[in-house]
């Protein structure tokens, strides 16, 4: 290839059987046109390759982000459902947190898992505690039990808080065939109500014989009103 007057020319030597039989000159516009076409094709190839690579990287990044969001959602579902799906077993560590409402002090004790708690989900256990709270208060009324709640729940460990408050509430008993009120904070001192055992049902008599625990003065008046009606 040679240049003349700012124009490129291509010189082709035609040979046959090793002998030159002619010369062909291709120049000017035809050479520039072929050169331009080659450059355009090369540029288009590079651009297409770059676009393909960019699309691949974008699709890869979108896929990674979707996987991350999916994993986050699964983790959130596991955390949310952990309390309802997990169940206790006989191997679950059972911790009782004893809280004194008067002194605001608490002590934790590890105890044997109650058989009735085994195999329960969080919701089932919370429901069981609510339903049996009054019974527990009666059982531990003299100790001053005023509340019981689930603090933490997992397959490995269960923590239940029992709140006690001394000197609060009342105990109803039968004294000389009459309903009497004992103040928990005053020991053996009591006050008769004038309600005779004769007007009570057998179930009420049995409850009073065992000692009927009442937490507040409001509840006391309500129960006494029921006894006398």
């Amino acid at each position: 290839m040679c240049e003349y007057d700012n124009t490129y020319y291509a010189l082709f030597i035609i040979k046959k059987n090793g002998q030159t039989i002619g010369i062909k000159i291709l120049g000017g516009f035809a050479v520039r046109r072929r050169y331009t076409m080659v450059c355009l094709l090369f540029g288009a190839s590079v651009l297409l390759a770059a676009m393909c690579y960019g699309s691949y990287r974008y699709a890869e990044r979108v896929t990674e982000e979707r996987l991350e969001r999916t994993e986050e959602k699964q983790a959130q579902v596991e955390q949310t459902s952990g309390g309802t799906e997990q169940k206790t077993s006989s191997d679950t560590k059972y911790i009782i947190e004893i809280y004194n409402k008067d002194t605001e002090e608490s002590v934790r004790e590890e105890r044997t898992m109650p058989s009735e708690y085994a195999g329960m989900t969080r919701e089932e256990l919370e429901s069981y505690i609510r339903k049996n709270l009054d019974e527990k208060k009666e059982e531990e009324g003299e100790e001053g039990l005023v509340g019981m709640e689930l603090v933490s729940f997992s397959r490995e460990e269960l923590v239940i808080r029992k709140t006690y408050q001394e000197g609060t509430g009342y105990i109803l008993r039968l004294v000389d065939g009459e309903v009497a009120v004992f103040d928990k904070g005053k020991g053996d001192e009591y006050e008769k109500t004038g309600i005779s055992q004769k007007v009570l049902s057998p179930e009420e008599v049995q409850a009073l014989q065992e000692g009927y625990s009442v937490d507040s003065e409001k509840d006391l008046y309500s129960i006494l009103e029921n006894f006398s009606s």
Side-chain angles (χ1 to χ4, degrees), residues 22-89:
I23 297 174
K24 185 176 181 180
I25 299 175
L26 184 64
F29 178 76
V31 172
R32 289 198 302 272
R33 184 177 180 183
R34 290 190 179 184
Y35 180 77
T36 302
M37 290 297 294
V38 170
C39 292
L40 288 174
L41 288 174
F42 178 76
S45 300
V46 172
L47 179 61
L48 181 61
M51 291 175 63
C52 291
Y53 180 75
S55 298
Y56 168 76
R57 291 296 300 164
Y58 175 76
E60 187 178 51
R61 186 170 65 253
V62 170
T63 302
E64 290 176 353
E65 290 176 355
R66 287 179 178 175
L67 287 174
E68 289 177 358
R69 287 196 296 268
T70 301
E71 291 175 355
E72 289 176 359
K73 288 181 179 180
Q74 289 178 347
Q76 291 175 357
V77 169
E78 289 176 359
Q79 291 176 357
T80 304
S81 63
T84 56
E85 295 300 325
Q86 295 189 71
K87 292 186 177 182
T88 58
S89 68

Side-chain angles (χ1 to χ4, degrees), residues 57 76 105 108 122 138 165:
R57 291 296 300 164
Q76 291 175 357
E105 296 178 348
R108 286 195 171 193
R122 184 186 189 100
E138 291 180 11
Q165 188 170 15

Side-chain angles (χ1 to χ4, degrees), residues 36-37 50 66 73 77 91 98 103 108 114 136 148 156 168 186 197 202 218:
T36 302
M37 290 297 294
R66 287 179 178 175
K73 288 181 179 180
V77 169
D91 296 326
I98 301 174
T103 62
R108 286 195 171 193
K136 289 292 184 181
M148 189 172 174
E156 293 75 24
T168 60
K186 297 181 179 180
Q197 177 180 342
K218 180 180 177 180

